[in-house]
Every structure is written in C-alpha cells, then in structure tokens.
C-alpha cells in the first residue's frame, strides 16, 4: 500500500538535527550555553584551560561548524574550507578526560537549552564519535 510520505511521521524522520534544534538560532543558543558552562563549571576546567581567555573565537567557529555538521548551511566550509578537525586539535593535549569533559559539557548544554531527549541521545552518540576521534594522547 502506497503510504504518502507527507505524513507527520515521515516529515519528522526527514528533519535534520539542525531543523529540529530550531535552525540558526537554536545552534547559536546551544553553542553559547556550551561555552558559558565551560567557563562557569569547575568540572570542565581541564578543557577550559586549553582555550584562550576570550572564548569569542571558539564560539564563532563552533557555531559555524555545527551549522553544517547538523545538516544546515555549511557556513564553516564556505569561509574556511575543509575543517581538518583532528589536525586543528593537535596543538591541544586531548585524552579521555578532555573528551569526556567536552561531551559532558555538551550534554549539559543540550539539556539546558531544552533539546528533546530523543534528539539529545542521537547527538550524544554522534558527538562521541567526533570527540573520540580527536584524542591525540594516551590516557
Ligand atoms: C574532545 C575534546 C575537545 C577539546 C578539548 C577541544 C578543544 C578545542 C580548542 C582548545 C579549540 C581552539 C579554540 C580557539 O581557537 O580559540 C578548539 C577548536 C575547535 N573545535 Fe574543539 N575540542 C574538542 C572536541 C571538539 C568536537 C567534538 C568538535 C565538533 C563536534 C569540535 C569542534 C571545534 C571547532 C570547529 C574548532 C575551531 C577550529 C578552527 O580553528 O577552525 N571540537 N577545540
């Protein structure tokens, strides 16, 4: 039986994480909360100290990158070309502690900006793959 794919369920399944987050404003809010928490919460101190005192540059770059990574406009690539994320992270010593702080900070930010649980779980898995790939020292 041909089920038209214009049903609510099918539309939902086709939505990108970018759209589900609320588009550009949603990505901005998530990135802002992520770096606010990194700045505020002592449990993220190990990754905070890898960053410059002023987080403006990091906020802008992560926002541009996540826009494309989440299925929205490829803002980072338009401006800077291929992100080469692993290479760009080599100057920072990233082990499991740093990876896990990054992921916990992002999980807290997603919860606090009200990302629905199902999407949070999906993104947590995707962020894990990327963050784990960024590890560049044992431990
Ligand atoms: C695994 C733990 C991670 C640590 C400790 C870490 C740390 C950092 C630091 C210190 C910078 C430099 C910020 C600056 O230039 O002021 C940076 C840049 C960046 N990070 Fe991460 N990061 C991690 C994981 C990730 C993940 C999972 C993503 C993406 C999903 C990501 C995306 C970026 C981007 C797009 C930049 C900007 C790169 C550029 O200079 O163009 N990072 N990160």
């Amino acid at each position: 039986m041909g089920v038209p794919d214009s049903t609510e369920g099918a539309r939902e399944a086709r939505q990108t994480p970018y759209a589900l987050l609320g588009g550009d404003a949603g990505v901005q809010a998530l990135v802002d909360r992520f770096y606010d928490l990194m700045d505020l919460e002592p449990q993220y101190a190990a990754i905070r100290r890898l960053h410059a005192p002023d987080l403006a540059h990091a906020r802008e770059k992560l926002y541009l990158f996540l826009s494309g990574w989440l299925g929205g406009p490829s803002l980072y690539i338009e401006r800077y070309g291929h992100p080469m994320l692993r290479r760009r992270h080599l100057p920072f010593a990233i082990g499991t502690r740093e990876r896990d702080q990054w992921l916990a900070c992002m999980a807290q930010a997603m919860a606090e900006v009200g990302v629905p649980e199902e999407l949070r779980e999906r993104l947590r898995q995707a962020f894990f793959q990327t963050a784990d790939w960024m590890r560049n020292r044992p431990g």
Side-chain angles (χ1 to χ4, degrees):
M1 208 148 108
V3 179
D5 69 350
S6 59
T7 59
E8 202 55 45
R11 255 203 308 278
E12 185 78 353
R14 276 202 313 273
Q15 295 246 311
T16 60
Y18 178 84
L20 293 169
L21 276 173
D24 189 71
V27 177
Q28 294 251 20
L30 176 62
V31 169
D32 276 339
R33 193 64 197 143
F34 174 78
Y35 281 113
D36 287 349
L37 288 168
M38 195 191 289
D39 218 14
L40 286 167
E41 301 278 357
Q43 66 268 33
Y44 308 132
I47 54 172
R48 177 62 186 92
R49 65 171 163 263
L50 296 176
H51 290 76
D54 182 352
L55 290 169
H57 177 256
R59 280 180 202 269
E60 174 72 1
K61 290 282 189 78
L62 188 60
Y63 153 70
L64 295 172
F65 176 81
L66 287 185
S67 172
W69 190 81
L70 292 164
S74 301
L75 304 177
Y76 185 100
I77 291 173
E78 282 165 19
R79 286 172 180 68
Y80 304 109
H82 192 288
M84 300 180 292
L85 269 199
R86 193 168 193 288
R87 197 158 102 193
R88 286 192 206 270
H89 284 77
L90 288 179
F92 315 112
I94 301 177
T96 51
R97 180 183 63 159
E98 289 74 19
R99 175 198 70 188
D100 291 346
Q101 286 192 11
W102 196 101
L103 291 168
C105 188
M106 182 55 79
Q108 188 177 345
M110 288 196 290
E112 290 191 9
V113 301
V115 177
E117 173 54 32
E118 202 179 313
L119 179 59
R120 265 192 278 157
E121 187 46 41
R122 187 172 150 199
L123 292 179
R124 264 200 294 269
Q125 290 174 21
F127 278 127
F128 178 87
Q129 299 302 324
T130 306
D132 192 52
W133 173 63
M134 229 72 88
R135 282 189 300 119
N136 52 34
R137 64 129 198 231

